[in-house]
Amino acid sequence: MDAQTTADEEPEVEATSLSLPSRQRRRSSASITKTSNKRQQRREKKKKHVAVEKIAEAASAIPQPMRPFPLLVCSIGNPGAQYANTLHSAGHTVLNRLAERLGYPGFRKEKSWGNGLLSTNGSAAPAWTLWQSTSYMNESGKGVVSAYQRFLQQQSQDGGRMVVVYDELESPLGKVTLRDGSGSPRGHNGLKSIKAHIGGRPFWRIGVGIGRPVSRESDDVARYVLKKMDANDKRAIEGSVDEILGKLKGLAEG
């Protein structure tokens, strides 16, 4: 009986011993398959990540449209009816014509803007602020800089640009010149005053030619710049507005 039992049991033991490697092989195969799947998933994930990075890189390389810079356009001259429409106040004449051309409202006195005259168009384009000095020419700087500071306080992180419009002696009547404000004032007392107060901050300037007298004597020059414009003078100076408008648009666009 014992012998028979032993004989009968031996095949079962043998069968069991033969079946173990088979299960191990199945487990090993499943493990390999699982590992392979994980590797494949990692590769796919990496490919997707690389693809996303390439798309982001390509998107960043596309030039983004620039938002136009807000402008503060200032004119300098001499105040009051006595000096209105004189050659030395050509900047004011130009700014009045520019406001009309843009459809801006009339100028109003604003103490918080350097005690100057202000005209804005609200939220409509272009985002320009027009400002006229009410100081005498050789004292322009303080008011201009005060207006510039107030203007910058109202801007976003993009900031803005200031442009000063003024009369330019020795330049042909109605000729328009655009220059960096850091350059020489060329004897212009209004520009000298601005440079003395602005502390090196950048600005632009647009000169409008008012011609020149034959004489170079200081008294003759003073009489010339303080004389009232005649019809020809006014036509030439107001006629410069289209060119000035183009230069302002160029500055606003960067």
Side-chain angles (χ1 to χ4, degrees):
M1 182 68 178
D2 293 339
Q4 182 64 40
T5 302
T6 302
D8 292 338
E9 288 176 352
E10 284 179 356
E12 292 179 5
V13 172
E14 185 178 355
T16 302
S17 65
L18 289 172
S19 65
L20 284 173
S22 177
R23 286 199 296 271
Q24 288 174 348
R25 285 196 298 271
R26 285 197 297 272
R27 285 197 298 270
S28 177
S29 176
S31 177
I32 291 170
T33 301
K34 187 175 181 180
T35 301
S36 177
N37 288 340
K38 286 183 177 180
R39 287 176 180 170
Q40 182 65 24
Q41 288 173 358
R42 284 197 295 268
R43 283 196 294 268
E44 292 297 328
K45 187 176 181 180
K46 186 176 181 180
K47 286 181 181 179
K48 288 180 180 179
H49 182 70
V50 170
V52 169
E53 284 185 339
K54 287 183 177 179
I55 292 171
E57 184 179 351
S60 65
I62 299 173
Q64 300 299 313
M66 292 181 64
R67 188 174 73 84
F69 287 100
L71 297 182
L72 172 64
V73 187
C74 304
S75 65
I76 55 177
N78 286 313
Q82 178 184 354
Y83 298 105
N85 292 317
T86 60
L87 290 174
H88 208 25
S89 293
H92 291 337
T93 300
V94 166
L95 205 65
N96 286 332
R97 185 71 184 92
L98 181 64
E100 292 175 4
R101 179 69 181 275
L102 294 173
Y104 275 40
F107 287 88
R108 66 184 188 277
K109 189 74 170 286
E110 288 288 347
K111 289 185 178 180
S112 62
W113 284 75
N115 207 36
L117 301 176
L118 189 71
S119 180
T120 62
N121 66 340
S123 59
W128 300 351
T129 299
L130 308 184
W131 182 90
Q132 289 185 339
S133 170
T134 55
S135 302
Y136 284 97
M137 183 66 86
N138 60 355
E139 299 173 346
S140 301
K142 186 176 180 180
V144 168
V145 172
S146 177
Y148 191 22
Q149 290 171 339
R150 182 61 186 269
F151 170 73
L152 291 176
Q153 288 171 1
Q154 295 188 348
Q155 306 310 313
S156 65
Q157 61 183 0
D158 295 331
R161 293 179 171 179
M162 183 177 76
V163 187
V164 177
V165 183
Y166 65 101
D167 62 297
E168 192 158 67
L169 188 67
E170 304 289 343
S171 186
L173 188 64
K175 181 180 179 181
V176 176
T177 55
L178 171 64
R179 295 187 178 92
D180 186 329
S182 64
S184 169
R186 301 187 176 193
H188 194 287
N189 289 330
L191 295 178
K192 287 180 181 178
S193 179
I194 292 170
K195 291 193 70 173
H197 285 83
I198 204 166
R201 280 176 289 186
F203 71 99
W204 295 88
R205 68 192 216 211
I206 293 178
V208 182
I210 60 170
R212 62 177 179 82
V214 175
S215 172
R216 292 295 191 274
E217 294 294 329
S218 59
D219 289 346
D220 292 333
V221 171
R223 279 192 291 270
Y224 178 82
V225 299
L226 294 178
K227 79 179 184 72
K228 294 283 187 178
M229 299 178 191
D230 60 26
N232 182 60
D233 296 333
K234 193 166 186 179
R235 183 167 51 252
I237 289 169
E238 289 187 339
S240 68
V241 167
D242 285 343
E243 186 176 353
I244 290 172
L245 185 57
K247 292 187 182 300
L248 290 172
K249 288 179 178 178
L251 287 173
E253 291 167 2

